[in-house]
Amino acid sequence: MNYKISKRAASLAPSLTLAIDSKAKAMKAAGEDVVGFGAGEPDFDTPQHIKDAAAKALAAGFTKYTPSAGIPELREAIAAKFKRENGLTYKSSQIIVSCGGKHSCYNVILATCEEGDEVLIPAPYWLSYPEMVKLAGAKPVILQTTDKTEFKVTPEQLRAAITPNTRLFILNSPSNPTGSVYTPEETKELGDICVEKNVLIMSDEIYEHLLYDGAKVKSVASFSPAHYDHTIIVHGLAKAYSMTGWRLGFLAAPEPIAKAIDAVQSHSTSNPTSFAQKGGVEALNGPQDHLPVWLAEYDKRRRYAHAKLNSIPGLTCVNAKGAFYLFPNISKTGLNSSEFCAKLLEQEKVAAVPGIAFGADEYIRLSYATSMANIEKGLSRIEKFCKALVK
Ligand SMILES: *Cc1c(COP(=O)(O)O)cnc(C)c1O
């Protein structure tokens, strides 16, 4: 049988992260002592009070369809979060709850982009953005950055890339995979250009709360009514509440865009899981005291890993100001990122993600959402590996 695969599906790049991950898992299953730096999720458990709220809803029979865009209680809790933490006013009707922040991103791109449109994506990028743009039939346009600018696009770079076909600019700060954070001034400047050129901004703020060294973020939507009108904020509970498996994300958008996204979602997934949404209400409205504890732990690991990486011959690493990733430069080892990660896994049993997956082949991504003991063990193996390469 000759199966015809649609152009859309066939155009997608297979996930390199998954290939490394499945190899690491197979080695672990075979009893090998693998250290994993691949995790894209917190290593902490979901706080108990959030689990309790969902369990209670489940036991009480809250198991039926909800409105496609989410239960009113959760949309109100999200609107209250934007008011309280960001000084942004959204009506519940401008908020859509989706099945994860990833799903929110996909909905935004699907509802705003089509054939002939260009979407500006700074690299290193979260690996799903370009693929989502292709699924929508639009064209990803990559704005390459390096560690010399701490992986941030400059206003000149953004301005030069805008054409009459530019529809959307994707901003992700703090960033996955680099951990870089735009200052409020830098964010405003990029926003000013998008307003001037009438380009929409999808601002992925999922790592908003994971900040270090006194870094501050300000949502691009918050600088003026015009910025607000040009911005769709994508967010979720996965990272700050360690709820990756719950599949709960949300977005805030100008009313007509929210309406279009609601229509898309109502014909694809319908509502996110009913009782998970009750957990989401508790996450946003309940105590937030887990966060400083987690942040202190991430920060300790980040400081250790950053210093250690820079002491290893052949590696240099700018420090991350947010999220839970470091993105060291491996170019002096003479290997590209796929070779580096494949050999590292084979020879030293350390799993890392090749930068090529994020559009940056001179780097690898290391997640420090893993224990200090693992970080120490894994980095000393990387040290041994690099010493043999660089000499
Ligand atoms: C983790 C992540 C998301 C959303 O993850 P979900 O599990 O789908 O909520 C969105 N953007 C970035 C950059 C992420 O790293």
Side-chain angles (χ1 to χ4, degrees):
M1 177 74 187
N2 233 340
Y3 295 103
K4 179 178 178 291
I5 304 299
S6 70
K7 279 200 201 86
R8 288 224 157 113
S11 77
L12 300 185
S15 171
L16 266 171
T17 49
L18 288 185
I20 288 268
D21 195 51
S22 61
K23 179 146 190 224
K25 285 199 174 117
M27 288 169 71
K28 246 186 201 159
E32 299 198 56
D33 173 29
V34 177
V35 179
F37 286 120
E41 59 185 349
D43 55 319
F44 304 108
D45 197 2
T46 308
Q48 190 60 42
H49 63 102
I50 300 174
K51 292 201 245 179
D52 289 345
K56 195 172 143 211
L58 182 59
F62 193 69
T63 57
K64 301 290 165 45
Y65 291 133
T66 76
S68 173
I71 55 176
E73 199 185 353
L74 180 52
R75 293 169 88 188
E76 280 154 25
I78 293 164
K81 170 255 175 294
F82 281 118
K83 187 90 210 159
R84 180 174 70 237
E85 296 181 350
N86 310 94
L88 288 167
T89 306
Y90 288 104
K91 289 185 277 190
S92 288
S93 55
Q94 294 176 268
I95 308 278
I96 310 284
V97 188
S98 303
C99 309
K102 182 179 275 184
H103 184 218
S104 300
C105 292
Y106 185 55
N107 280 341
V108 170
I109 291 167
L110 211 60
T112 60
C113 300
E114 61 197 359
E115 241 116 299
D117 289 339
E118 294 173 356
V119 178
L120 303 181
I121 307 174
Y125 45 73
W126 189 42
L127 72 182
S128 293
Y129 298 142
E131 306 311 303
M132 289 174 176
V133 169
K134 288 195 248 166
L135 276 172
K139 185 178 157 203
V141 175
I142 305 303
L143 308 183
Q144 198 69 46
T145 73
T146 69
D147 46 7
K148 293 197 180 59
T149 61
E150 289 179 37
F151 304 108
K152 295 189 232 186
V153 279
T154 62
E156 297 72 35
Q157 210 180 351
L158 173 62
R159 192 177 279 282
I162 295 174
T163 74
N165 295 327
T166 307
R167 177 80 182 129
L168 190 67
F169 168 56
I170 299 182
L171 183 62
N172 172 218
S173 170
S175 150
N176 176 5
T178 66
S180 76
V181 177
Y182 289 83
T183 65
E185 295 71 28
E186 289 165 343
T187 307
K188 178 176 183 299
E189 225 177 324
L190 297 177
D192 289 347
I193 295 169
C194 291
V195 168
E196 180 196 321
K197 299 285 186 181
N198 203 19
V199 169
L200 285 174
I201 305 160
M202 183 175 92
S203 180
D204 183 341
E205 302 180 6
I206 193 138
Y207 293 100
E208 178 188 13
H209 294 104
L210 305 187
L211 293 168
Y212 315 103
D213 292 342
K216 295 256 180 315
V217 287
K218 203 158 152 50
S219 174
V220 67
S222 63
F223 291 106
S224 77
H227 287 78
Y228 177 96
D229 288 341
H230 282 79
T231 303
I232 304 149
I233 299 177
V234 170
H235 214 308
L237 302 170
K239 307 296 158 55
Y241 300 92
S242 194
M243 293 171 69
T244 47
W246 291 60
R247 310 313 301 134
L248 275 184
F250 54 88
L251 60 88
E255 193 97 46
I257 294 179
K259 228 175 129 194
I261 291 171
D262 191 9
V264 168
Q265 182 160 304
S266 72
H267 290 297
S268 44
T269 59
S270 295
N271 63 275
T273 304
S274 56
F275 45 90
Q277 293 186 62
K278 291 284 192 179
V281 172
E282 177 61 23
L284 291 167
N285 291 348
Q288 308 291 315
D289 46 357
H290 66 285
L291 205 55
V293 181
W294 293 2
L295 277 173
E297 181 60 31
Y298 284 142
D299 190 32
K300 195 170 81 191
R301 300 169 183 175
R302 180 189 65 104
R303 285 168 190 273
Y304 171 80
H306 174 249
K308 178 77 187 178
L309 284 167
N310 278 308
S311 78
I312 296 176
L315 301 188
T316 54
C317 185
V318 298
N319 212 346
K321 297 268 195 309
F324 40 64
Y325 310 101
L326 287 165
F327 207 63
N329 188 319
I330 55 148
S331 59
K332 291 206 185 78
T333 65
L335 299 180
N336 68 34
S337 65
S338 309
E339 293 164 347
F340 187 98
C341 290
K343 287 193 170 150
L344 181 64
L345 184 57
E346 243 160 66
Q347 296 173 15
E348 296 296 334
K349 304 192 192 341
V350 173
V353 186
I356 185 86
F358 312 100
D361 204 15
E362 301 191 324
Y363 307 86
I364 61 168
R365 191 189 77 175
L366 301 174
S367 161
Y368 49 89
T370 184
S371 71
M372 197 66 186
N374 266 342
I375 292 171
E376 284 171 8
K377 183 157 87 176
L379 291 183
S380 68
R381 291 181 186 182
I382 290 179
E383 182 172 35
K384 182 167 160 243
F385 179 74
C386 288
K387 274 184 175 158
L389 280 176
V390 178
K391 296 239 164 67

